[in-house]
Amino acid sequence: MSVSKLESLPNEILVDLLEKYINAVDVFVAFFNQLNSRFNALIDQCQQFHFDFTSIRKKDFQICVNRLPNYFDKIKGLTLSECDTPGQINIFLSLFPPLNKFNELREFHLDFDVITVDKYQINEVLHSLSNSNLCTLSIKGTHISVSSILNSINTTILALPTLKRLILDTNFYTALRDFDKSTFFNIEHLIIAGHGCTWNELQHISRCSPRLKYLNVRVTNKFSNTFSSTVDIPPLTKLYTVILHFIDRYTEITWNQLVDYFRIMPNLHHLEVINSHNRFFNANDWQILFEISLSLLKRFTLKISAARLSQHGLDSIHTTLISFQTPFWIEKKNFNIFIMMCKSFGNIIYYYQPIDPQQHRFDIDFKSEIQSGTIQFWTVPERSISDNCFLLDKITSLRLSAKDPLPPSQYYFENVKYLKVDHINLSLFKWITTHIHLSKIKKLIILETETKCRLVTSLIALIENISSLQINFNQLIHQQYDLIKTKNNIKRLNISFGLFSNQQIFRKKDICIIADLFPLIEHLIIDTIDFENVPFLYICLPHLHSLTFKLIDLTFPRFDSFKERQWDNRLRDMTRLTFKRTEEWLTIWIDEVAFQESNWSSFQLKSQSNKCCTS
């Protein structure tokens, strides 16, 4: 029997791989009791594991939680997420209510929705960490309408002497309003996304966190009418990176106040200011600040919408752009200014994500782009970086249409992760393959393109690392024979728009086609009115983790959360399904029980939705 390359490695290297580079979920699902006694022994030798339960199969989740009690003192990292796996956190916390059992925990990441997770359980979990040696905490929460959870962070977590990295991404304003301002924290890396924090809070955070090295904050003026001075903030000598994203106009803040804040960062190397007020958009003012107070700055990015920059039309914008065409700015290769203009007509060019709170999550909602119109941008100063080509690494999302003029040929997009294409033709195809670094693209959306257009298949084949695809189902069917020849690792497939004409059924034949084209699918999004054949998915798609579908004609009285909860509870009683509902969309964390025919044969969505919502 031949020995695999993995098994030929020495024990020391294998242990190092298992401890530091492989998700513990994969360690216990793929290796433990799966290969041989040697690997079992190596797993037992490991001194640390990092469990990331994001988008995990329910069966694998159950395998892992059953083995966790044997490794409490070796678990260094833990990630719990309701993303595509509704019910995961409730199950985990019902089995391990206090996290103090994980006495060696150093990293904890929590992604939850208050609608599906008991907020009191979350509070208990956070309080159970009060005596831990936690170094990293990441909290992403939606529908947080009360501050109790965030108060637990303020009173319990921030005081941890070991805490070095904190990420807060919630939809609750003034996330850090009530923390003890006399306490000093050891935080070195801080991200506050979601609704962000106020300018006052930012000042207090800066004063209480002298060890800060990285600061990434969305700043709002909600609940804040006065702005404190920065004179009492000691110099933040360790701070190297600052990203400030202003989500309000902030007419109360003066340029001098902003300058005073930056002056306490003498060793700053990287600065980004996003969507600030037009009074902060003077080339000469920034140059003076850099030369006098931020002489060590290596990278600078200033982004602003044209609406904030001027109320006097494009001529004023062009005048501003010219002010940056000086030797100082042209020589600074890593100093760039982006001006964006939203329009409901004209050139559809770019869509970009100004802040990414978790650095590794890419859940962009293109609906907002469609509703807000189209986006055009200018970059200054005008200069070429390599071979007369201007490299753009700040644009992570890009929308292109053959019905609109193509972007300038001197641009090369080297960091696009989301590509949306409308009405693709040969010219647009050639531009994409010439001016975009295709290997970086993770998500591809194809809209409003002829179903027989083979350029779609060619584009999919060229994007080797694509993991998420959104495409019209009819187009998928017409090009199935070409698509099956492409080597792809697509794990998320969205065929919910234009899925079937005349509300046809979801046939077994259709499921077989999907399985042949995308055998590794983990998440499937569909839109159909008939669920008779849905259980067949369990047979054809063995890697499927979750299913999202639309509830036909489901409507609730406006702002009536009681009716919504009532409907959800009745559906759970009828079907034994673990699900999360977002408006009319339902996501199910699937397992063998979820695909029992009894759940779906009695699931008459149209009649049930009307019955439950009106009763």
Side-chain angles (χ1 to χ4, degrees):
M1 180 178 179
S2 61
V3 179
S4 68
K5 292 183 179 180
L6 181 65
E7 291 179 291
S8 66
L9 294 174
N11 288 349
E12 293 79 8
I13 293 180
L14 286 173
V15 169
D16 197 54
L17 289 173
L18 295 172
E19 285 186 336
K20 300 177 182 178
Y21 300 101
I22 302 179
N23 184 358
V25 170
D26 298 320
V27 171
F28 283 91
V29 172
F31 295 117
F32 193 79
N33 287 339
Q34 298 296 320
L35 296 178
N36 50 50
S37 58
R38 180 194 177 204
F39 269 85
N40 289 351
L42 291 173
I43 292 173
D44 288 336
Q45 290 178 29
C46 293
Q47 296 303 308
Q48 61 178 9
F49 295 107
H50 296 262
F51 282 90
D52 185 350
F53 292 118
T54 304
S55 300
I56 187 177
R57 283 200 309 174
K58 200 169 188 179
K59 180 180 179 181
D60 294 341
F61 177 76
Q62 292 166 342
I63 291 173
C64 290
V65 295
N66 288 336
R67 292 172 177 163
L68 281 184
N70 298 323
Y71 300 92
F72 278 149
D73 59 345
K74 294 184 178 182
I75 297 176
K76 303 288 187 179
L78 181 61
T79 299
L80 302 176
S81 173
E82 294 277 298
C83 179
D84 293 324
T85 56
Q88 178 194 122
I89 294 178
N90 281 337
I91 294 173
F92 189 92
L93 296 183
S94 67
L95 296 171
F96 314 107
L99 285 187
N100 53 18
K101 291 182 179 178
F102 301 84
N103 49 34
E104 293 297 322
L105 193 63
R106 297 295 182 267
E107 295 184 19
F108 182 46
H109 304 272
L110 190 64
D111 183 352
F112 68 98
D113 188 329
V114 171
I115 292 177
T116 57
V117 177
D118 188 341
K119 60 179 178 291
Y120 298 107
Q121 279 189 312
I122 300 296
N123 276 326
E124 291 178 5
V125 166
L126 294 176
H127 281 294
S128 71
L129 297 171
S130 59
N131 295 317
S132 70
N133 292 317
L134 199 66
C135 298
T136 298
L137 175 65
S138 173
I139 301 288
K140 182 176 182 181
T142 55
H143 298 105
I144 300 180
S145 57
V146 293
S147 60
S148 58
I149 293 174
L150 297 169
N151 285 339
S152 298
I153 298 173
N154 296 339
T155 59
T156 303
I157 302 300
L158 281 174
L160 287 175
T162 57
L163 189 65
K164 297 293 190 295
R165 186 182 181 96
L166 177 63
I167 301 170
L168 295 179
D169 184 1
T170 72
N171 66 335
F172 187 77
Y173 286 112
T174 59
L176 300 177
R177 177 176 51 185
D178 301 320
F179 70 82
D180 185 355
K181 300 173 181 60
S182 64
T183 305
F184 285 88
F185 311 126
N186 291 319
I187 295 175
E188 297 177 357
H189 187 115
L190 178 63
I191 297 177
I192 302 178
H195 279 324
C197 68
T198 67
W199 181 257
N200 269 338
E201 290 169 349
L202 180 58
Q203 308 304 298
H204 291 305
I205 291 168
S206 301
R207 183 174 62 82
C208 298
S209 307
R211 300 178 182 273
L212 271 178
K213 296 180 180 178
Y214 178 96
L215 179 65
N216 186 338
V217 175
R218 289 168 65 93
V219 187
T220 177
N221 62 11
K222 297 292 183 182
F223 306 109
S224 181
N225 297 318
T226 60
F227 299 90
S228 62
S229 173
T230 60
V231 295
D232 61 337
I233 303 178
L236 298 173
T237 58
K238 298 181 180 296
L239 193 56
Y240 274 44
T241 301
V242 172
I243 302 174
L244 298 182
H245 180 195
F246 292 89
I247 53 179
D248 299 296
R249 287 186 178 272
Y250 268 99
T251 55
E252 296 89 346
I253 298 180
T254 66
W255 169 253
N256 288 336
Q257 286 175 308
L258 197 65
V259 168
D260 287 341
Y261 184 56
F262 290 139
R263 281 176 177 167
I264 65 175
M265 312 168 187
N267 297 316
L268 197 65
H269 280 61
H270 182 180
L271 174 63
E272 290 189 31
V273 179
I274 302 168
N275 245 1
S276 60
H277 194 267
N278 60 357
R279 70 180 68 178
F280 305 151
F281 213 82
N282 184 290
N284 189 56
D285 286 344
W286 283 108
Q287 181 177 341
I288 293 173
L289 171 64
F290 298 152
E291 292 176 339
I292 295 177
S293 303
L294 300 178
S295 59
L296 299 180
L297 197 68
K298 304 298 182 185
R299 297 181 65 88
F300 173 66
T301 301
L302 183 62
K303 301 178 184 178
I304 192 170
S305 66
R308 290 193 181 186
L309 182 60
S310 176
Q311 301 294 329
H312 306 292
L314 296 180
D315 291 339
S316 178
I317 295 176
H318 291 153
T319 301
T320 303
L321 293 176
I322 292 174
S323 69
F324 287 92
Q325 296 291 355
T326 64
F328 172 86
W329 291 96
I330 294 175
E331 291 173 3
K332 298 287 186 179
K333 300 301 183 184
N334 292 316
F335 283 30
N336 298 295
I337 290 83
F338 294 83
I339 303 176
M340 301 147 294
M341 190 169 102
C342 297
K343 302 166 58 178
S344 58
F345 59 90
N347 298 336
I348 301 178
I349 302 182
Y350 313 111
Y351 177 79
Y352 84 103
Q353 176 73 352
I355 187 171
D356 183 7
Q358 293 196 20
Q359 304 292 320
H360 60 278
R361 298 295 297 275
F362 310 111
D363 42 351
I364 303 296
D365 182 9
F366 282 95
K367 291 181 181 179
S368 60
E369 180 221 353
I370 297 172
Q371 294 170 356
S372 64
T374 64
I375 294 177
Q376 192 175 33
F377 85 89
W378 297 266
T379 60
V380 292
E382 293 181 0
R383 59 170 179 258
S384 61
I385 294 180
S386 175
D387 298 327
N388 295 320
C389 182
F390 188 76
L391 302 179
L392 296 175
D393 61 354
K394 296 296 182 182
I395 307 299
T396 59
S397 299
L398 184 59
R399 177 185 176 182
L400 300 167
S401 174
K403 288 192 171 183
D404 301 301
L406 292 174
S409 59
Q410 70 266 29
Y411 289 148
Y412 184 82
F413 296 85
E414 59 178 359
N415 199 30
V416 173
K417 294 179 173 61
Y418 302 87
L419 178 62
K420 181 178 180 181
V421 182
D422 298 342
H423 303 96
I424 189 170
N425 60 14
L426 185 59
S427 296
L428 179 55
F429 177 82
K430 289 181 177 179
W431 193 97
I432 290 173
T433 55
T434 304
H435 297 279
I436 300 178
H437 191 174
L438 298 180
S439 64
K440 294 287 188 72
I441 296 174
K442 301 296 183 182
K443 179 176 181 179
L444 176 64
I445 298 178
I446 304 292
L447 290 177
E448 300 182 50
T449 298
E450 293 184 8
T451 54
K452 296 182 180 181
C453 178
R454 293 196 170 186
L455 292 173
V456 171
T457 306
S458 301
L459 185 60
I460 294 174
L462 288 172
I463 305 176
E464 298 178 353
N465 296 318
I466 180 175
S467 60
S468 176
L469 175 65
Q470 183 173 342
I471 191 172
N472 184 291
F473 184 77
N474 292 324
Q475 192 169 61
L476 199 88
I477 295 298
H478 276 90
Q479 301 190 42
Q480 57 179 295
Y481 298 109
D482 292 330
L483 281 171
I484 205 167
K485 300 175 185 178
T486 63
K487 296 180 180 180
N488 64 74
N489 296 313
I490 292 174
K491 295 184 178 181
R492 189 179 189 91
L493 179 65
N494 185 343
I495 49 176
S496 63
F497 64 99
L499 180 57
F500 300 106
S501 58
N502 301 321
Q503 299 292 346
Q504 296 179 12
I505 64 172
F506 197 40
R507 302 166 300 179
K508 287 187 176 182
K509 177 183 177 181
D510 302 322
I511 296 175
C512 290
I513 292 173
I514 294 173
D516 288 339
L517 296 177
F518 311 107
L520 301 179
I521 285 293
E522 295 179 357
H523 311 285
L524 180 62
I525 305 174
I526 62 175
D527 183 5
T528 181
I529 60 173
D530 194 303
F531 293 84
E532 179 181 355
N533 294 316
V534 167
F536 191 57
L537 288 168
Y538 192 72
I539 299 174
C540 294
L541 298 172
H543 299 281
L544 196 64
H545 297 181
S546 65
L547 176 68
T548 299
F549 54 90
K550 190 175 184 179
L551 299 167
I552 307 300
D553 296 338
L554 178 62
T555 56
F556 295 101
R558 192 176 183 185
F559 304 123
D560 193 339
S561 58
F562 174 77
K563 285 286 187 182
E564 295 189 50
R565 290 195 301 270
Q566 186 183 43
W567 191 94
D568 291 348
N569 292 334
R570 289 183 180 180
L571 180 58
R572 289 189 179 96
D573 292 340
M574 288 189 299
T575 61
R576 297 179 64 195
L577 296 175
T578 303
F579 66 86
K580 174 184 177 181
R581 183 183 53 78
T582 304
E583 296 178 345
E584 72 272 27
W585 290 93
L586 209 70
T587 297
I588 295 176
W589 191 19
I590 61 176
D591 57 8
E592 188 174 357
V593 174
F595 273 132
Q596 288 180 355
E597 292 187 8
S598 58
N599 283 323
W600 300 93
S601 61
S602 61
F603 200 25
Q604 303 299 326
L605 290 179
K606 188 169 182 178
S607 59
Q608 290 291 354
S609 63
N610 290 331
K611 178 181 178 181
C612 292
C613 292
T614 57
S615 60

